Amino acid sequence: FIPGQFAEGTPALVAFEDVSVVDRDQISVLFGVDYNLWVPFWKSQRSSIFITTQFFNIYTEDSEGLTFQSPYVLTNVEKHQQFLTQTYSMGLFNDKLILDGLAVWDIDKGGVAYRQRFDFATFGPQWKPRIEIGHFSGNPEQGLLAVWRKSDYVEFSLTYQF
């Protein structure tokens, strides 16, 4: 609750089984294309940009009146939920810096999410530092991406591999 701002939804942490996706049949279809974007002035194939584009269609049988089970929100489940994703990965400085991006578009509800990773391989083969930035946007109560729309984040991690 934010004073002075209109809010929709429910304060319940768990939705009732009869109005949520629990024992429903769902069919997911994925169509994807993977390709390398070759940039002519880069010296090796290792410097190409790997790109993946994917289209998802999730069909939920008997979706009428169903809601997603998520905290503090009642979001209707569409019979067909459609998403488009775009990823890329590229190495810079002889793969000492790897850029990895993921964008997700909720075609039906208009939500957008983006995650950008910066992986550093400058501290030897065992230490793997990473910076990750995430952004979510969507209209209130509209689709899964809107649930996290105020959850933008910056994450720093350091992994030791042995």
Side-chain angles (χ1 to χ4, degrees):
F1 174 73
I2 299 171
Q5 186 175 3
F6 178 73
E8 296 179 21
T10 177
L13 290 177
V14 179
F16 295 107
E17 185 175 325
D18 59 341
V19 296
S20 62
V21 178
V22 178
D23 293 320
R24 299 292 196 271
D25 292 329
Q26 288 187 315
I27 298 171
S28 298
V29 176
L30 161 69
F31 174 76
V33 177
D34 299 341
Y35 51 96
N36 284 311
L37 176 63
W38 180 258
V39 180
F41 57 85
W42 282 352
K43 293 182 180 179
S44 69
Q45 179 65 31
R46 188 177 193 182
S47 297
S48 65
I49 303 170
F50 179 73
I51 298 175
T52 301
T53 303
Q54 298 176 331
F55 170 78
F56 295 87
N57 185 66
I58 303 167
Y59 172 77
T60 304
E61 187 177 319
D62 299 326
S63 64
E64 186 78 25
L66 296 180
T67 58
F68 290 106
Q69 182 174 333
S70 55
Y72 310 110
V73 70
L74 279 177
T75 303
N76 291 333
V77 174
E78 303 289 333
K79 187 175 282 289
H80 290 275
Q81 302 163 65
Q82 297 175 333
F83 298 92
L84 184 67
T85 65
Q86 179 70 56
T87 66
Y88 83 94
S89 181
M90 65 183 286
L92 298 173
F93 311 112
N94 290 329
D95 291 337
K96 297 291 184 192
L97 172 63
I98 306 292
L99 302 179
D100 181 56
L102 166 65
V104 180
W105 293 277
D106 182 340
I107 295 171
D108 302 309
K109 302 290 187 178
V112 176
Y114 184 74
R115 185 217 61 215
Q116 177 65 56
R117 288 182 177 162
F118 304 90
D119 290 314
F120 300 92
T122 55
F123 302 105
Q126 281 87 19
W127 292 100
K128 306 288 182 189
R130 170 184 284 172
I131 300 172
E132 182 171 312
I133 301 167
H135 169 73
F136 300 89
S137 67
N139 295 324
E141 308 291 334
Q142 295 294 312
L144 287 176
L145 299 178
V147 172
W148 298 290
R149 71 185 181 94
K150 294 190 181 202
S151 300
D152 297 344
Y153 66 93
V154 176
E155 178 181 299
F156 302 93
S157 63
L158 181 62
T159 303
Y160 179 77
Q161 296 179 327
F162 53 92

